[in-house]
Coordinates of all heavy atoms in Angstrom, one line a residue:
S1 N -92.3 44.9 79.8 CA -92.0 44.6 81.2 C -91.8 45.9 82.0 O -91.1 46.8 81.5 CB -90.8 43.7 81.3 OG -91.0 42.5 80.7
P2 N -92.3 46.0 83.2 CA -92.2 47.3 83.9 C -90.7 47.5 84.4 O -90.1 46.6 84.8 CB -93.0 47.1 85.2 CG -93.2 45.6 85.3 CD -93.1 45.0 83.9
A3 N -90.2 48.7 84.1 CA -88.8 49.0 84.5 C -88.7 49.0 86.0 O -89.6 49.3 86.8 CB -88.4 50.4 84.0
G4 N -87.5 48.6 86.5 CA -87.3 48.5 87.9 C -88.0 47.4 88.6 O -88.1 47.4 89.9
E5 N -88.4 46.4 87.9 CA -89.0 45.2 88.5 C -88.1 44.5 89.4 O -86.9 44.3 89.1 CB -89.5 44.3 87.3 CG -90.1 43.0 87.8 CD -90.4 42.1 86.6 OE1 -89.9 42.4 85.6 OE2 -91.1 41.1 86.8
T6 N -88.5 44.1 90.6 CA -87.7 43.5 91.5 C -88.0 42.0 91.6 O -89.0 41.5 91.2 CB -87.9 44.1 92.9 OG1 -89.2 43.8 93.3 CG2 -87.6 45.6 92.9
H7 N -87.0 41.2 92.2 CA -87.3 39.8 92.3 C -88.3 39.5 93.4 O -88.8 38.4 93.4 CB -85.9 39.1 92.7 CG -84.9 39.4 91.6 ND1 -84.9 38.8 90.4 CD2 -83.7 40.1 91.7 CE1 -83.8 39.1 89.7 NE2 -83.1 40.0 90.4
A8 N -88.6 40.5 94.2 CA -89.6 40.2 95.2 C -91.0 40.3 94.7 O -92.0 40.1 95.4 CB -89.4 41.2 96.4
Q9 N -91.2 40.6 93.4 CA -92.5 40.7 92.8 C -92.7 39.8 91.6 O -92.8 40.3 90.5 CB -92.8 42.2 92.4 CG -92.8 43.1 93.6 CD -92.9 44.6 93.1 OE1 -92.4 44.9 92.0 NE2 -93.5 45.4 93.9
P10 N -92.6 38.5 91.8 CA -92.7 37.6 90.7 C -94.0 37.6 90.0 O -94.2 37.2 88.9 CB -92.4 36.2 91.3 CG -92.8 36.4 92.8 CD -92.5 37.8 93.1
Q11 N -95.1 38.1 90.7 CA -96.4 38.1 90.1 C -96.5 39.0 88.9 O -97.4 38.8 88.1 CB -97.5 38.5 91.2 CG -97.4 39.9 91.6 CD -96.4 40.1 92.8 OE1 -95.6 39.1 93.1 NE2 -96.4 41.2 93.5
S12 N -95.6 40.0 88.8 CA -95.7 40.9 87.6 C -95.4 40.1 86.3 O -95.8 40.6 85.3 CB -94.8 42.0 87.8 OG -93.4 41.6 87.9
H13 N -94.7 39.0 86.4 CA -94.4 38.2 85.2 C -95.6 37.6 84.7 O -95.8 37.6 83.5 CB -93.4 37.1 85.6 CG -92.0 37.6 85.8 ND1 -91.2 37.9 84.8 CD2 -91.3 37.7 87.0 CE1 -90.0 38.3 85.3 NE2 -90.1 38.2 86.6
G14 N -96.5 37.2 85.5 CA -97.7 36.6 85.1 C -98.7 37.6 84.4 O -99.5 37.3 83.6
Q15 N -98.5 38.9 84.7 CA -99.4 39.9 84.1 C -98.8 40.3 82.7 O -99.5 41.0 81.9 CB -99.4 41.2 85.0 CG -100.0 40.9 86.3 CD -99.8 42.0 87.3 OE1 -99.2 43.1 86.9 NE2 -100.2 41.9 88.5
A16 N -97.6 40.0 82.4 CA -97.0 40.4 81.1 C -97.7 39.6 80.0 O -98.2 38.5 80.2 CB -95.5 40.1 81.1
R17 N -97.6 40.1 78.8 CA -98.1 39.4 77.6 C -97.4 38.1 77.4 O -96.2 38.0 77.5 CB -98.0 40.4 76.4 CG -98.6 39.8 75.1 CD -98.3 40.7 74.0 NE -98.7 42.1 74.2 CZ -98.6 43.1 73.3 NH1 -98.0 42.8 72.2 NH2 -98.9 44.3 73.6
R18 N -98.2 37.1 77.0 CA -97.6 35.8 76.8 C -96.9 35.8 75.4 O -97.4 36.1 74.4 CB -98.7 34.7 76.8 CG -98.2 33.3 76.6 CD -99.4 32.3 76.7 NE -98.9 30.9 76.4 CZ -98.4 30.1 77.4 NH1 -98.3 30.6 78.6 NH2 -98.0 28.9 77.1
V19 N -95.6 35.3 75.5 CA -94.8 35.3 74.2 C -94.5 33.8 74.0 O -94.1 33.1 74.8 CB -93.5 36.1 74.4 CG1 -92.7 36.0 73.2 CG2 -93.8 37.5 74.8
E20 N -94.7 33.4 72.7 CA -94.5 32.0 72.3 C -93.6 32.0 71.1 O -93.7 32.9 70.2 CB -95.8 31.3 72.0 CG -96.7 31.1 73.2 CD -97.9 30.3 72.9 OE1 -98.2 30.1 71.7 OE2 -98.7 29.9 73.8
I21 N -92.8 31.0 71.0 CA -91.9 30.8 69.8 C -92.6 30.0 68.8 O -93.0 28.9 69.0 CB -90.6 30.2 70.3 CG1 -89.8 31.0 71.3 CG2 -89.6 29.9 69.1 CD1 -89.5 32.4 70.8
K22 N -92.6 30.6 67.5 CA -93.2 29.9 66.4 C -92.3 29.9 65.2 O -91.3 30.6 65.2 CB -94.5 30.6 66.0 CG -95.6 30.7 67.1 CD -96.2 29.3 67.4 CE -97.3 29.4 68.4 NZ -97.9 28.1 68.7
R23 N -92.6 29.0 64.3 CA -91.8 28.9 63.0 C -92.8 29.0 61.8 O -93.8 28.4 61.8 CB -91.0 27.6 62.9 CG -89.9 27.5 64.0 CD -89.3 26.1 63.8 NE -88.5 26.1 62.6 CZ -88.1 24.9 62.0 NH1 -88.5 23.8 62.5 NH2 -87.4 24.9 60.9
N24 N -92.3 29.8 60.8 CA -93.2 29.9 59.6 C -92.8 28.8 58.7 O -92.0 27.9 59.0 CB -93.0 31.3 59.0 CG -91.6 31.5 58.5 OD1 -90.8 30.6 58.3 ND2 -91.3 32.8 58.2
R25 N -93.4 28.8 57.5 CA -93.2 27.7 56.5 C -91.8 27.6 56.1 O -91.3 26.5 55.7 CB -94.1 27.9 55.3 CG -95.6 27.7 55.7 CD -96.5 27.9 54.4 NE -97.9 27.8 54.7 CZ -98.9 28.0 53.8 NH1 -98.5 28.3 52.6 NH2 -100.1 27.8 54.1
K26 N -91.1 28.7 56.1 CA -89.7 28.7 55.6 C -88.7 28.3 56.8 O -87.5 28.3 56.6 CB -89.3 30.0 55.0 CG -90.0 30.3 53.7 CD -89.6 31.6 53.1 CE -90.2 31.9 51.8 NZ -89.8 33.1 51.2

């Protein structure tokens, strides 16, 4: 995530890599 990101630029969130929560077999 870019440092110094402000709340006035919510579009930068959409440019960030998509992170998903997964579980392995254990």
Side-chain angles (χ1 to χ4, degrees):
S1 295
E5 179 185 11
T6 63
H7 301 289
Q9 297 173 330
Q11 65 274 14
S12 58
H13 287 284
Q15 298 169 2
R17 187 185 304 179
R18 182 178 177 84
V19 179
E20 294 182 352
I21 298 301
K22 300 291 184 180
R23 295 177 68 201
N24 63 17
R25 291 180 180 178
K26 293 185 178 180

